[in-house]
């Protein structure tokens, strides 16, 4: 996966004229933020990738969400960072999707482009097992591809609830905070996501 740019410059800026204890607090927060962002970047990228279906856009979304978390919520308690980050990421993804829709409508009024000028989206990254043989790896790749396609086809809120609960492992309360809705809504979206996936995947799911 494309490496993430460091965000150290955002929260490691030297502070002059303050007490040493404040400097130490800032350094502690800086290290905690760095560890937190490192722990979520891959799963966050996967969520953005499924929502945007483009690696570069997904990377931009994750980095944008990281920057906003650091700039606006670094002082919040550590336990609040995870749901806050995923709420920010969800908003960034939705904004990018809306811009893409508007751009598509504008492009529809422009002269058609040659097929050779069109850029193809990269396929969703696969995660093969390095221990499996070629046949088994192909089977796993196909199964993962089917599941990812099914998840990508879910309505946005169902997809968000499913990914936060299963990929990121947030509990219902944390997912509700991340999604900006009630716990009851999370349960409803998650249940409907499971029903839709079971209907699409049958015994595979």
């Amino acid at each position: 996966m494309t490496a993430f740019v460091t965000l150290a410059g955002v929260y490691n800026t030297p502070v002059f004229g303050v007490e040493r204890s404040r400097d130490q607090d800032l350094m502690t927060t800086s290290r905690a933020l760095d560890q937190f962002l490192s722990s979520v970047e891959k799963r966050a990228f996967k969520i953005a990738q499924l929502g945007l279906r483009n690696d570069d856009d997904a990377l931009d979304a994750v980095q944008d969400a990281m920057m906003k978390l650091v700039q606006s919520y670094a002082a919040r308690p550590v336990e609040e960072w995870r749901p806050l980050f995923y709420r920010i990421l969800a908003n960034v993804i939705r904004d990018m999707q809306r811009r893409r829709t508007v751009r598509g409508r504008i492009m529809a009024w422009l002269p058609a482009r040659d097929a050779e000028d069109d850029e193809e989206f990269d396929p969703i990254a696969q995660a093969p097992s390095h221990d499996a043989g070629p046949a088994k790896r192909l089977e796993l790749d196909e199964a993962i591809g089917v599941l990812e396609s099914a998840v990508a086809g879910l309505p946005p809120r169902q997809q968000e609830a499913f990914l936060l609960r299963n990929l990121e492992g947030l509990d219902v309360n944390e997912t509700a905070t991340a999604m900006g809705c009630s716990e009851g809504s999370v349960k409803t979206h998650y249940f409907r996501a499971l029903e839709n996936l079971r209907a699409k995947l049958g015994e595979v799911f």
Side-chain angles (χ1 to χ4, degrees):
M1 186 184 76
T2 306
F4 286 81
V5 298
T6 179
L7 297 176
V10 178
Y11 48 83
N12 281 343
T13 303
V15 180
F16 301 100
V18 296
E19 298 177 358
R20 179 173 298 181
S21 61
R22 178 170 172 78
D23 287 338
Q24 292 174 341
D25 289 343
L26 288 173
M27 290 180 65
T28 300
T29 300
S30 171
R31 286 193 294 268
L33 274 167
D34 187 52
Q35 292 173 355
F36 169 74
L37 295 176
S38 295
S39 73
V40 300
E41 64 179 14
K42 291 183 179 180
R43 291 188 294 274
F45 179 78
K46 193 64 174 179
I47 290 172
Q49 195 180 43
L50 284 167
L52 298 169
R53 304 304 293 270
N54 179 275
D55 288 354
D56 291 335
D57 287 348
L59 182 61
D60 288 344
V62 173
Q63 292 180 339
D64 190 12
M66 287 181 170
M67 293 290 291
K68 289 179 178 178
L69 177 76
V70 171
Q71 292 170 345
S72 301
Y73 300 104
R76 298 288 285 270
V78 175
E79 59 271 16
E80 294 184 13
W81 288 347
R82 190 176 300 273
L84 280 171
F85 171 73
Y86 281 105
R87 185 170 186 177
I88 294 169
L89 179 63
N91 289 336
V92 171
I93 291 172
R94 280 194 288 271
D95 286 344
M96 294 180 73
Q97 290 170 334
R98 281 194 289 267
R99 288 197 297 270
R100 182 182 290 173
T101 298
V102 171
R103 186 165 60 246
R105 290 173 180 169
I106 293 174
M107 293 300 293
W109 289 93
L110 299 178
R113 300 169 59 188
D114 293 335
E116 61 184 15
D117 293 331
D118 292 335
E119 295 183 359
E120 294 291 337
F121 285 163
D122 292 333
I124 292 179
Q126 303 298 322
S129 170
H130 296 293
D131 296 328
K136 184 63 176 178
R137 189 182 306 121
L138 177 60
E139 181 181 343
L140 290 173
D141 285 349
E142 291 176 347
I144 291 172
V146 169
L147 176 59
E148 289 182 337
S149 295
V151 172
L154 290 172
R157 297 295 273 177
Q158 291 181 27
Q159 181 187 108
E160 191 176 356
F162 179 83
L163 291 173
L164 290 175
R165 296 282 285 119
N166 288 278
L167 187 60
E168 182 53 33
L170 300 188
D171 60 28
V172 174
N173 179 263
E174 291 172 329
T175 303
T177 300
M179 294 179 63
C181 64
S182 67
E183 293 185 18
S185 294
V186 169
K187 294 176 181 178
T188 298
H189 290 311
Y190 183 64
F191 174 77
R192 290 175 178 170
L194 293 179
E195 289 296 298
N196 281 333
L197 290 174
R198 289 191 181 105
K200 292 179 180 179
L201 302 177
E203 296 300 324
V204 178
F205 186 74

